[in-house]
Amino acid sequence: PVLTSNFDGCAPKLLVLTDQDQQYRYMAKEIKRLIASGVDIHKIAILGKTRKELSQTALALRARKIPITERYGLTNTRCSSF
């Protein structure tokens, strides 16, 4: 499939990963790459469907020495609706 975006920046990627650990390894590698390229770690977000999924992701990233701040739910009430 072709992925497109109406926003400036990099095009979205579609990844086919075989298991959860491979997903965590990829995420950790990309986060470390972003930080090394100068991106502020506080500008990086990980979204998930459930709190359990995000908690498991946080544990996996912490195990890979990536500092995590967990925040659940919307905190910015100024978000525009679609």
Side-chain angles (χ1 to χ4, degrees):
V2 176
L3 301 176
T4 61
S5 173
N6 291 330
F7 300 99
D8 292 333
C10 298
K13 295 179 187 178
L14 176 62
L15 303 172
V16 179
L17 303 171
T18 58
D19 59 35
Q20 199 70 24
D21 193 58
Q22 187 180 27
Q23 178 179 336
Y24 296 145
R25 285 192 311 270
Y26 176 81
M27 291 170 70
K29 179 181 167 186
E30 284 298 299
I31 291 168
K32 288 177 180 180
R33 182 187 66 74
L34 289 168
I35 293 167
S37 72
V39 174
D40 180 355
I41 194 166
H42 298 101
K43 300 289 183 185
I44 300 171
I46 297 171
L47 307 177
K49 288 183 181 181
T50 65
R51 187 172 292 206
K52 180 180 177 182
E53 178 183 38
L54 291 170
S55 292
Q56 291 169 339
T57 301
L59 287 172
L61 293 177
R62 282 189 186 107
R64 290 165 173 83
K65 308 295 185 217
I66 296 176
I68 299 294
T69 301
E70 295 180 66
R71 294 185 185 150
Y72 300 102
L74 293 175
T75 58
N76 183 353
T77 58
R78 296 182 300 151
C79 294
S80 60
S81 60
F82 293 96

